[in-house]
Amino acid sequence: MDKAAIERAKEHFGKILENQMNRMERVKSAPDWIDYGKIKPLKIGLLGGDGIGPIIAKDAKRVLYFLLKDEIKNGKVIIHDIEGLTIENRAACNKPIPDDVLAEIKKYHVTLKGPTTTPRKGDPWPNIESCNVAVRKELDLFANVRPVRIPKQGIDWIFFRENTEDLYALGPYGIEVDEDIAIDFRLISAPGADRICRLAFEHAKKNGRARVTCVTKANVVKTTDGRFLENFYRIAKDYPNIQVDDWYIDIMTAKLVDEKRRRDFQVMVLPNLYGDILTDEAAEFQGGVGTAGSANIGKQYAMFEAIHGSAPRMVQEGRAQFADPASMIRAAAMLLSHIGFPEKGKSLEMALDICGQYEKKLAITGRSTGATGTAFTDYLMETLQDPKLKGRWEAYVKA
Ligand code: IPM
Ligand code: MG
């Protein structure tokens, strides 16, 4: 037995614990929720990303400028591009976010970000940490909020995925103990579980949702998932009017496909990796990951993005202009609601539903057989400007 390897691993683990205990102190002493209503000017930063990112970002930007034109004119809102968050720059400095870009991001209250490439072992890029994950950690964006709605099937789900812990917290800090054993670490903290569960319950309470469901694998992963679940039920006691239950991730994945049961789920709260997987599955029912937006919410900052990756293959094959911008535009809708313009956010969502799910005058296929993202966005903006937008949407939803 290689005793030295064991000692090295122990030391490594000791450092991890020190860092995480420090993080706990920061989480516990963090300032409370920012009040966007009191801020002038409210600063929105736009990050293009990699691959199809800059292309779909351009369309999302058009929509955002259009919906905020009055607020921009009267100085309530400022929108700016933030340059430099490219995989080339990240590879050059061997960091998930270049320092100057991170400093710039922190000058904005909220950001809308295009997908960024996440390198993995064997890629031409150095195997640096995912930039998404790094931004979430740096800005303490602890909640990944992902709605999936399919009105014609009665599906109206919202996922509260914990966004800073679980396998992601220490993803780059595993130990190659020796040539046989590799170990990663999974971390769930009580403050981390509390804040995501509370946000899910608050959402349910404010939006009149009757039920909140927790998803874990606490029967097997007893310590960390056990902690998450225990905290879920403890927070639930503060919301006696909300029905609660919990499911294991395996059966939950199956139940989302069960047409008899799936519409019963409403608000779901779950640790990071289960949330990552389950939300891709859920988005697929809505029309694919290209149709789903995602909000990364923290108490001081928030970042909004598509739930999918940068699709380098589409760029290589010359199909980038056929990428669906709906995911990023949905993220823009979530951004608008989050910073205090819920009517604008709602209108944008209605227009997206009409154009993408019901009327479908233009279909996006990701290839030249379908519309370009820009043509789709023109169609969307036209729909958005229709004074009868709400009536049109309601007629479709009721039909
Ligand atoms: C997501 C993505 C990211 C994640 C990747 C790109 C690191 O899949 O936002 O769901 O795993 O969180
Ligand atoms: Mg994912």
Side-chain angles (χ1 to χ4, degrees):
M1 194 187 297
D2 183 352
K3 286 263 167 64
I6 297 179
E7 286 313 310
R8 271 199 309 277
K10 279 191 196 161
E11 198 180 316
H12 181 96
F13 185 53
K15 284 197 194 113
I16 284 176
L17 287 181
E18 253 173 56
N19 287 338
Q20 289 303 316
M21 284 174 176
N22 286 335
R23 185 177 73 86
M24 282 299 96
E25 289 312 310
R26 290 198 299 277
V27 168
K28 286 193 273 191
S29 61
D32 212 0
W33 292 97
I34 183 171
D35 181 353
Y36 295 108
K38 291 200 179 125
I39 293 169
K40 193 175 171 182
L42 222 161
K43 296 175 77 181
I44 304 174
L46 300 174
L47 295 145
D50 304 307
I52 59 167
I55 292 165
I56 60 172
K58 199 173 67 253
D59 286 321
K61 179 171 164 177
R62 269 207 290 154
V63 175
L64 213 49
Y65 269 96
F66 169 72
L67 283 172
L68 290 171
K69 57 183 180 307
D70 295 337
E71 289 73 17
I72 294 172
K73 213 178 283 161
N74 69 28
K76 167 75 186 155
V77 170
I78 289 178
I79 308 182
H80 263 304
D81 290 331
I82 303 175
E83 306 291 342
L85 192 67
T86 59
I87 182 66
E88 292 79 11
N89 286 349
R90 300 199 298 279
C93 65
N94 204 19
K95 281 186 170 177
I97 319 168
D99 293 339
D100 55 332
V101 180
L102 179 61
E104 195 58 26
I105 290 175
K106 287 185 174 169
K107 291 184 191 156
Y108 292 83
H109 300 102
V110 292
T111 45
L112 180 65
K113 177 182 141 310
T116 42
T117 298
T118 297
R120 60 173 191 187
K121 247 184 182 167
D123 276 358
W125 310 109
N127 193 14
I128 36 182
E129 183 178 25
S130 149
C131 148
N132 293 32
V133 175
V135 173
R136 293 166 186 167
K137 285 183 190 168
E138 284 290 346
L139 306 181
D140 202 20
L141 308 177
F142 65 88
N144 195 304
V145 184
R146 298 183 159 178
V148 167
R149 282 188 297 113
I150 313 166
K152 47 185 169 185
Q153 294 177 19
I155 289 177
D156 189 353
W157 296 327
I158 184 159
F159 296 87
F160 285 80
R161 165 188 175 191
E162 202 290 322
N163 212 19
T164 50
E165 301 197 338
D166 187 359
L167 280 163
Y168 283 70
L170 299 164
Y173 308 113
I175 309 179
E176 308 261 9
V177 179
D178 58 19
E179 57 275 26
D180 294 330
I181 297 176
I183 291 189
D184 270 312
F185 298 100
R186 182 168 199 262
L187 175 148
I188 299 281
S189 73
D194 279 2
R195 61 186 183 172
I196 189 70
C197 291
R198 192 165 291 285
L199 197 66
F201 279 108
E202 281 297 311
H203 173 90
K205 187 172 154 187
K206 279 192 203 120
N207 295 278
R209 311 304 300 271
R211 177 179 179 195
V212 179
T213 302
C214 184
V215 184
T216 66
K217 185 77 187 179
N219 52 341
V220 174
V221 189
K222 295 186 189 293
T223 312
T224 45
D225 275 350
R227 173 76 65 106
F228 195 91
L229 195 56
E230 196 181 295
N231 282 55
F232 168 78
Y233 280 116
R234 195 166 44 71
I235 300 286
K237 290 201 186 110
D238 293 344
Y239 301 85
N241 298 324
I242 296 174
Q243 195 192 322
V244 290
D245 61 350
D246 78 272
W247 292 69
Y248 297 133
I249 181 65
D250 50 350
I251 187 65
M252 188 70 196
T253 310
K255 283 295 136 193
L256 288 197
V257 190
D258 179 347
E259 283 174 12
K260 292 188 295 296
R261 300 293 297 278
R262 62 181 180 174
R263 65 175 70 90
D264 300 339
F265 295 109
Q266 300 186 5
V267 179
M268 279 154 278
V269 59
L270 64 183
N272 208 337
L273 185 63
Y274 306 146
D276 178 46
I277 298 167
L278 206 63
T279 55
D280 267 16
E281 185 198 21
E284 198 62 31
F285 304 135
Q286 182 184 266
V289 289
T291 63
S294 164
N296 298 275
I297 311 271
K299 292 189 176 174
Q300 296 298 301
Y301 295 101
M303 188 251 284
F304 298 80
E305 61 186 348
I307 84 165
H308 56 76
S310 59
R313 198 174 311 146
M314 289 192 83
V315 180
Q316 278 153 24
E317 292 172 6
R319 299 188 280 119
Q321 73 272 31
F322 299 107
D324 193 345
S327 52
M328 221 176 144
I329 299 175
R330 272 211 193 263
M334 297 180 83
L335 181 152
L336 289 165
S337 302
H338 184 71
I339 61 175
F341 305 109
E343 304 79 26
K344 294 182 201 284
K346 186 68 201 160
S347 303
L348 183 51
E349 276 173 12
M350 290 192 283
L352 280 162
D353 288 348
I354 292 172
C355 300
Q357 287 198 28
Y358 296 113
E359 196 181 75
K360 295 196 199 165
K361 271 195 198 153
L362 287 183
I364 298 233
T365 61
R367 305 179 175 270
S368 57
T369 50
T372 62
T374 299
F376 178 82
T377 309
D378 290 341
Y379 166 39
L380 183 80
M381 303 249 288
E382 232 168 71
T383 309
L384 200 51
Q385 287 170 78
D386 180 356
K388 299 202 191 83
L389 172 73
K390 188 154 183 248
R392 252 166 97 184
W393 182 80
E394 280 170 350
Y396 279 119
V397 174
K398 284 189 194 126

